[in-house]
């Protein structure tokens, strides 16, 4: 039992390290390069700009960071190996797309009047520039992790919980005006692609 726990946390630490290295190399670099480019694309339809801004959905949006903590409580090392490979590969792939297709956010970013939410959004906007839109890496990360957790569960309640969580995160990216609908759809397509081609045929103990 102790050996299994050690293997689980060792595997988690290994992939957490490499995912962090890749993400904090790719994402800020793409943001910096896109900010310097003169041409970006508006990959949304005008009617999307009427989607309301609902600051309370920021909690669902930020719950992505909780998702990076919980895999060792639900996944065995074999499943975490597959998930780690998917996350690293998807990050690199999305980075290439960001550079090839530099999109910009169409929503006018709004800092709420409420003092509590004002600080949350001000900090979020300072870190997350309105670039790196298509596909949504937020959706890609969330869906890769949550679908991995979903597939590892036997209980229907757990499956429903993880499925509903994914729906909320996808909706939140639009309702807090961080992404557009195409970003969400392409993020899910990236997830489907890497689930299909990384870990195919794996037998999980």
């Amino acid at each position: 039992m102790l050996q299994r726990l050690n293997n689980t946390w060792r595997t988690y630490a290994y992939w957490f390290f490499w995912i962090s290295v890749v993400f904090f190399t790719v994402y800020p670099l793409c943001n910096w390069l896109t900010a310097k480019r003169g041409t970006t694309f508006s990959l949304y339809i005008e009617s999307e700009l009427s989607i309301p801004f609902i600051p309370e959905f920021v909690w669902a949006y930020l719950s992505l960071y909780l998702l990076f903590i919980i895999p060792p409580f639900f996944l065995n090392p074999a499943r975490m190996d597959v998930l780690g490979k998917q996350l690293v590969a998807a990050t690199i792939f999305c980075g290439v797309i960001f550079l090839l297709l530099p999109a910009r956010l169409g929503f006018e970013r709004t800092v709420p009047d409420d003092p509590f939410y004002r600080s949350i959004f001000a900090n979020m906007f300072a870190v997350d520039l309105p670039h790196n839109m298509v596909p949504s890496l937020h959706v890609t990360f969330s869906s890769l992790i949550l679908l991995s957790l979903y597939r590892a569960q036997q209980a229907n309640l757990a499956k429903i919980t993880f499925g509903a969580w994914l729906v909320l995160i996808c909706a939140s990216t639009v309702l807090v005006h961080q992404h557009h609908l195409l970003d969400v759809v392409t993020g899910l397509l990236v997830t489907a692609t890497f689930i299909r081609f990384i870990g195919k045929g794996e037998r999980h103990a």
Side-chain angles (χ1 to χ4, degrees), residues 52 80 175 184:
M80 279 194 288
L175 293 174
V184 175

Side-chain angles (χ1 to χ4, degrees), residues 91-195:
T91 303
I92 295 170
F93 176 82
C94 288
V96 172
I97 301 301
F98 295 153
L99 295 178
L100 294 176
L101 199 64
R104 63 178 176 269
L105 184 67
F107 294 115
E108 182 177 348
R109 284 182 154 180
T110 303
V111 176
D113 293 330
D114 184 296
F116 181 71
Y117 284 108
R118 184 189 308 146
S119 61
I120 293 174
F121 279 91
N123 290 323
M124 190 166 73
F125 293 161
V127 172
D128 196 9
L129 300 181
H131 309 300
N132 297 355
M133 305 301 298
V134 179
S136 167
L137 201 51
H138 202 96
V139 169
T140 300
F141 281 169
S142 301
S143 53
L144 280 172
I145 296 171
L146 281 166
L147 290 175
S148 182
L149 296 174
Y150 178 94
R151 294 167 69 189
Q153 305 310 306
Q154 299 296 324
N156 287 334
L157 180 59
K159 288 179 176 289
I160 291 170
T161 299
F162 291 133
W165 195 344
L166 176 56
V167 171
L168 281 172
I169 289 180
C170 289
S172 74
T173 63
V174 177
L175 293 174
V176 298
H177 289 182
Q178 286 290 87
H179 280 284
H180 293 289
L181 297 177
L182 179 64
D183 311 347
V184 175
V185 172
T186 52
L188 293 172
L189 287 174
V190 171
T191 292
T193 300
F194 283 99
I195 286 177

Side-chain angles (χ1 to χ4, degrees), residues 3-5 7 9 12 29 36 43 53 55 73 77 79-80 82 109 114 121 137-138 143 164 173-174 196 199-200:
Q3 181 64 35
R4 177 179 290 185
L5 284 174
N7 288 340
W9 286 99
Y12 171 75
L29 179 62
K36 290 182 171 296
L43 300 179
F53 174 70
F73 297 101
R79 288 184 181 272
M80 279 194 288
V82 172
R109 284 182 154 180
D114 184 296
F121 279 91
L137 201 51
H138 202 96
S143 53
T173 63
V174 177
R196 174 71 175 80
K200 179 183 178 183

